[in-house]
Amino acid sequence: MPVDATPDPYADSIRFGQRLQILRTRRGLTRDGLGGLVGRSGSWVKGLETGRLKTPKLEVVLRLAEVLRVQNLSDLTGDQAPLSLFTGPGHPCLAAVAAAVNAFALTVDAEAPSAAHIQARLSKAWAARHSAPNHRAVLGGLLPGLIRDAQMAVRQSDRAEQRRAAQAALSQTYSLAQFFLAYQPEPALLWRVAERGMVAAQESEDPHTIGIAAWLTAQAHRDAGPGHFDAADTVTREAIIFLDPLLSDADDDVLAVAGALRFEAGYTAARRGESGTAWRHWDRAASMARRLPESYYHPVTSFSQAIMGAHAVTIAVELHAGGESVRQAAASDAATIPSRPRRARHRIEEARAYQLDGQADVALATLEQAHAAAPETIAYNGYAKRIILEEAESRVPARRQRAAGLAVKLGLLAA
């Protein structure tokens, strides 16, 4: 390696402080910025990076890993803790879904189903996802056939209108695939699906499909870390500009996806620590939600009147406002969220709020509710795993036992 090259933080010979500095720099954070996000000072971060301070306890390491968005805890700690944190286990259906995405079958003799038929199957797939506790298993079984047929429908389209409809169905199939692939150990495959979904959406010229693809692409950028926040903002801004002129007489689905994009802009602002901007976007999204029927629930984004309370919890948590997070959690009602995985995700956000506020026992109880709603959601969620592992080292015996029980259920600890 050239002497002036950036060291690789994953090399075994690099100590914790050096890894911390490299990962912090790659995320575009100052020492003061990183310290503030974990409740410490910039000089404390400097002490870790220079080796003046020893490697902190697991609960602090987990908090640093969360802020730095490392995919595997060993990226930060070396061989001391080879634990996957923000990436879940590879699902048994992952190989079949990957094979379908990567297939390049140009000589299939079968006749493709119509775009309308594929859309009907997509509607059933989304309904099954929302109602199933093992939603990844459900999607993993449906996606290979859907991807194959949607790709084939595009290839066999011979009229412009038919091809646009097929592209919309293909894009929405890739959107479904992104929900399956999220937080699995295949980031390149996730990005390939996101990009293909966006291209197919643009080819479809359908505002609703374009909005969904933009919503998911923005999430992929944001979850890649602070260095990608600008890209996330660009995608949401362009999509909002595209959709805004259509909203005066738009149907509920287009209005909902526009509202979901507004919230995504607020979510990214909260990740940046921009409180005023984050809440302004939330307010705009809430006003759009109120234009929807009370019983309406968007099948992809979950945007609805019911979801805005959950979104408020997320904004407060991302801003690290413990008291406000708990107030928003108390005001929201997860029981009104019809989707089991989305309800579980909300419970995890509530648990983050309670832990921020120092209510560890309530946080664990809330994670138990998340597990009851959708075990696969919590198994793939890095925030939930961080809380559980941190409390598994609690000095309070009952709390430690409760956390250990959850850790066993998630496969983080041996039974």
Side-chain angles (χ1 to χ4, degrees), residues 233 261-286 308 311-312 314-320:
D233 284 336
L261 284 160
R262 278 286 178 191
F263 169 70
E264 285 305 312
Y267 195 160
T268 305
R271 280 272 177 93
R272 292 182 186 272
E274 299 171 350
S275 178
T277 302
W279 285 115
R280 279 195 298 274
H281 282 298
W282 183 91
D283 285 338
R284 291 288 301 276
M308 292 312 300
H311 283 341
T314 296
I315 292 291
V317 167
E318 291 294 343
L319 290 168
H320 304 282

Side-chain angles (χ1 to χ4, degrees), residues 113-244:
S114 67
H117 177 78
I118 296 170
Q119 289 285 5
R121 287 162 60 187
L122 281 169
S123 294
K124 291 182 179 179
W126 283 114
R129 176 190 179 268
H130 289 307
S131 62
N134 59 332
H135 51 95
R136 273 190 170 82
V138 170
L139 295 188
L142 296 173
L143 277 167
L146 273 167
I147 293 169
R148 180 193 63 243
D149 288 350
Q151 290 173 337
M152 192 162 52
V154 171
R155 288 197 299 272
Q156 294 182 14
S157 299
D158 54 9
R159 301 190 313 276
E161 183 179 355
Q162 181 188 31
R163 187 172 183 83
R164 286 194 297 270
Q167 291 282 19
L170 178 59
S171 177
Q172 292 175 35
T173 299
Y174 284 139
S175 295
L176 186 68
Q178 283 180 255
F179 278 80
F180 172 81
L181 292 169
Y183 306 114
Q184 293 205 56
E186 279 283 4
L189 185 64
L190 177 66
W191 276 108
R192 189 150 62 249
V193 167
E195 290 167 355
R196 289 184 185 179
M198 181 62 83
V199 170
Q202 291 173 324
E203 291 291 328
S204 78
E205 300 181 13
D206 175 58
H208 181 234
T209 302
I210 291 170
I212 291 172
W215 179 76
L216 283 164
T217 301
Q219 289 189 5
H221 280 300
R222 186 185 61 242
D223 287 346
H228 296 259
F229 287 174
D230 286 347
D233 284 336
T234 297
V235 172
T236 51
R237 181 174 60 252
E238 290 297 319
I240 288 169
I241 291 172
F242 171 73
L243 292 173
D244 269 353

